[in-house]
Amino acid sequence: MKVLVTGFDPFGGEKVNPAIEAVKRIKDKIAGADIVKLEVPTVFNKSIKKLEEALEKERPDITICVGQAGGRNRISVERVAINISDGRIPDNEGYQPIDEPIFEDGDAAYFSNLPIKAMVKAMKEQNIPAEVSNTAGTYVCNHLMYGLLYNIHKKYPHMKGGFIHIPFLPEQVIDKPDRPSMSLDLIVKGLEVAIEAALKYHEDIKEIGGEIH
Ligand code: PCA
């Protein structure tokens, strides 16, 4: 088995992105599966192109993209990606789409086909704060997740894929007193545990993971 894990580069004035920092540190083998790591730019379209090249070359069984969700207080496994880009800030090349579809011929939304509840449960059992998230936003992370799921639907029906958002690192919140953070070690462990669960569960488990609003 092969798992492709991607991480974004820094954006929005941050010096680091915990996503690529954590992805780089994940073990090279988890539960017998080879882990392939890829850095992707926080740039609309280019991030999807880079992912598509890697999918073509590596033919992974599972692909998990990872991004920073500054302000969230736990690791969130995303349920759904929507076919729209609405950038609150420009990407790393200055492009700021407003209400643009990602793929003209794509569905309005695609669900992750990873066992998201099992992944969250496995992290919680290891005392790592985790949740299911019902929105990946409308910036480059949702864009890449949508691109991944579009490729699964159109080209790689046997591949599993989805997205994990992670909090700021402690060093990023020194001058943001109201923002939560999580240590790099805990994020790395969380991602490894989540990957292990994704490899183990072919069907998701029934477990509460919803929210009222
Ligand atoms: N987080 C951003 C884009 C890159 C990243 O790491 C997002 O949530 O869209």
Side-chain angles (χ1 to χ4, degrees), residues 10-17 21 171-172:
F11 70 101
E14 295 294 325
K15 288 196 190 68
V16 292
N17 189 328
E21 296 308 320
E171 70 212 64
Q172 293 178 280

Side-chain angles (χ1 to χ4, degrees), residues 7-11 17-20 40-44 66-70 72 136-143 163 165-166:
F8 281 104
D9 63 1
F11 70 101
N17 189 328
I20 187 56
V40 286
T42 301
V43 177
F44 288 102
V66 182
Q68 164 193 302
R72 290 197 190 169
T138 55
Y139 193 50
V140 187
C141 286
N142 173 74
H143 175 88
F163 198 97
H165 261 125
I166 57 177

Side-chain angles (χ1 to χ4, degrees), residues 51-92:
L51 173 70
E52 285 176 340
E53 282 163 21
L55 295 179
E56 188 68 53
K57 177 167 167 249
E58 302 287 351
R59 301 282 170 156
D61 302 286
I62 298 175
T63 299
I64 300 178
C65 302
V66 182
Q68 164 193 302
R72 290 197 190 169
N73 64 7
R74 54 202 59 226
I75 296 180
S76 30
V77 183
E78 298 294 346
R79 190 195 297 264
V80 60
I82 59 175
N83 192 9
I84 201 91
S85 291
D86 192 357
R88 197 174 51 73
I89 54 171
D91 69 14
N92 283 353

Side-chain angles (χ1 to χ4, degrees), residues 34-200:
D34 293 317
I35 311 298
V36 179
K37 301 152 190 180
L38 175 74
E39 179 166 339
V40 286
T42 301
V43 177
F44 288 102
N45 302 315
K46 221 181 231 183
S47 50
I48 293 182
K49 280 272 155 328
K50 197 148 183 211
L51 173 70
E52 285 176 340
E53 282 163 21
L55 295 179
E56 188 68 53
K57 177 167 167 249
E58 302 287 351
R59 301 282 170 156
D61 302 286
I62 298 175
T63 299
I64 300 178
C65 302
V66 182
Q68 164 193 302
R72 290 197 190 169
N73 64 7
R74 54 202 59 226
I75 296 180
S76 30
V77 183
E78 298 294 346
R79 190 195 297 264
V80 60
I82 59 175
N83 192 9
I84 201 91
S85 291
D86 192 357
R88 197 174 51 73
I89 54 171
D91 69 14
N92 283 353
E93 292 189 353
Y95 181 52
Q96 187 172 9
I98 310 278
D99 296 345
E100 283 181 20
I102 300 164
F103 282 97
E104 294 284 355
D105 65 341
D107 291 357
Y110 293 116
F111 291 115
S112 168
N113 61 0
L114 292 173
I116 57 171
K117 303 272 179 86
M119 291 162 74
V120 168
K121 185 168 185 228
M123 285 191 272
K124 286 179 169 172
E125 280 172 358
Q126 298 291 321
N127 292 327
I128 300 166
E131 66 184 354
V132 168
S133 161
N134 294 299
T135 175
T138 55
Y139 193 50
V140 187
C141 286
N142 173 74
H143 175 88
L144 184 65
M145 181 182 177
Y146 187 90
L148 169 63
L149 299 179
Y150 175 92
N151 270 275
I152 289 176
H153 276 259
K154 302 277 181 195
K155 220 170 154 185
Y156 305 106
H158 301 297
M159 186 171 72
K160 302 259 183 228
F163 198 97
I164 299 181
H165 261 125
I166 57 177
F168 279 137
L169 297 174
E171 70 212 64
Q172 293 178 280
V173 301
I174 300 293
D175 57 358
K176 305 180 190 82
D178 54 338
R179 295 292 176 145
S181 66
M182 190 181 272
S183 76
L184 188 54
D185 284 353
L186 201 60
I187 295 173
V188 172
K189 184 163 176 222
L191 293 177
E192 289 174 348
V193 169
I195 292 167
E196 197 170 342
L199 285 159
K200 182 167 160 199

